[in-house]
């Protein structure tokens, strides 16, 4: 399987062989760059992270881009950025589709590369832009970000017969060189909660997860972090049930998703919850809580 096919692999088809190959491609490109840009989904910054990133990039400086910030809770995005900074990792909120936050991302990347580019000049080299590459799991927005950063100066692919396709560098406004091929990371699929969060933010395919579990988990997280919105949206009066499944049933009742005998049609209720969440009816939501600092690294 070549590099281009690997790009389109649905995340659940990551077999050990694919993971090794993806890792090898990244390691090859790592040698060429000063800095890596780790692209995360601002709605699920820890669930969209690759568990082995630190091992893969070793000591290469890293900047985090919290993408799809237009869909995330702005207060939580701020808290996540502060958290990364406390871990010594510069971070910026971006919206790759509209181009928001990209100037800041480029500035952070250059700053991070400065020791390296300065050293190069001190050894007699010509000043050069920071070299970087983008890493992230499928659907996090790598291509959108690369295209947006490329702007008008989009890299042409020089496909000369008989010549191995050279690495293409994109010159980014503001003085940064970006590899046109992103590194594809696999998600944390061992953790079922992470899998569900990836599913309902659209990072993995819809039809491979249990919709009832997904809706129940979503309601539980919303109850914990956004109780007023849940209350308001589904017109709960007084106490809301605590457990996800009970919440789902209550939502079904509120919305009249009933079958004969007044029993709640859980399937209909799931659809209501998942569709309304995806349509943004519950507002801007971030589903991963910022970890406690005492526990160290952003697992
Ligand atoms: N709302 C929003 N959608 C985005 C953003 N970035 C990417 N997307 C969407 O997310 C989907 C996956 O993006 P893509 O660039 O193909 O992801 P890739 O698989 O990492 O290359 C596409 O539908 C994009 O339009 C963003 O910042 N905000
Ligand atoms: Mg892509």
């Amino acid at each position: 399987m070549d590099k281009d096919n690997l790009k389109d692999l649905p995340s659940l088809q990551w077999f050990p062989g694919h993971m090794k190959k993806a890792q090898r491609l990244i390691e090859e490109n790592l040698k060429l760059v000063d800095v890596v840009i780790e692209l995360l989904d601002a709605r699920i910054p820890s669930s969209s992270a690759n568990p082995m990133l630190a091992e893969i990039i070793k000591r290469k400086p890293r900047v985090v881009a919290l993408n799809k910030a237009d869909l995330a809770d702005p207060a939580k995005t701020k808290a996540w950025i502060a958290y990364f900074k406390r871990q010594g990792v510069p971070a910026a909120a971006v919206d790759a589709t509209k181009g928001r936050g990209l100037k800041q991302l480029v500035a952070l990347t250059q700053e991070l590369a400065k020791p390296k580019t300065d050293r190069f000049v001190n050894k007699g080299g010509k000043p050069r832009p920071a070299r970087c590459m983008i890493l992230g799991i499928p659907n996090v927005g790598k291509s959108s970000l690369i295209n947006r950063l490329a702007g008008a100066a989009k890299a042409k692919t020089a496909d000369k017969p008989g010549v191995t396709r050279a690495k293409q560098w994109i010159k980014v406004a503001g003085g940064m060189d970006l590899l046109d091929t992103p590194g594809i990371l696999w998600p944390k699929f061992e953790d079922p909660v992470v899998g569900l969060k990836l599913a309902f933010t659209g990072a993995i395919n819809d039809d491979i997860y249990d919709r009832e579990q997904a809706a129940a988990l979503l309601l539980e997280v919303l109850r914990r972090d956004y109780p007023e919105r849940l209350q308001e949206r589904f017109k709960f009066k007084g106490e809301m049930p605590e457990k996800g499944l009970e919440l789902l049933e209550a939502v079904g009742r509120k919305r009249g998703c009933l079958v004969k005998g007044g029993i709640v049609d859980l399937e209909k209720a799931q659809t209501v919850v998942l569709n309304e969440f995806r349509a943004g009816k519950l507002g801007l939501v971030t589903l991963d809580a910022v970890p406690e600092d005492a526990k160290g690294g952003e697992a």
Side-chain angles (χ1 to χ4, degrees), residues 58-84:
K58 309 220 168 61
R59 310 191 67 83
K60 193 66 74 178
R62 162 176 73 122
V63 53
V64 162
L66 292 171
N67 192 38
K68 310 197 186 186
D70 54 312
L71 304 175
D73 177 340
K76 295 246 167 90
T77 299
K78 250 189 208 159
W80 269 101
I81 288 172
Y83 165 77
F84 281 116

Side-chain angles (χ1 to χ4, degrees), residues 7-8 39 43 66-71 94-100 136-147 182 184 202:
K7 245 192 277 202
D8 300 320
L39 199 57
R43 297 167 297 173
L66 292 171
N67 192 38
K68 310 197 186 186
D70 54 312
L71 304 175
V94 303
D95 170 352
T97 49
K98 299 209 183 61
R100 272 183 39 222
I137 64 170
N139 288 319
V140 72
K142 297 178 297 299
S143 301
S144 307
L145 181 59
I146 290 172
N147 287 336
I184 322 290

Side-chain angles (χ1 to χ4, degrees), residues 37 43 81 96-97 106 134 146 163 169-170 182 194 198 228 296:
I37 298 174
R43 297 167 297 173
I81 288 172
T97 49
V106 171
I134 290 170
I146 290 172
V163 179
W169 292 95
I170 294 165
V194 167
L198 289 167
E228 332 73 39

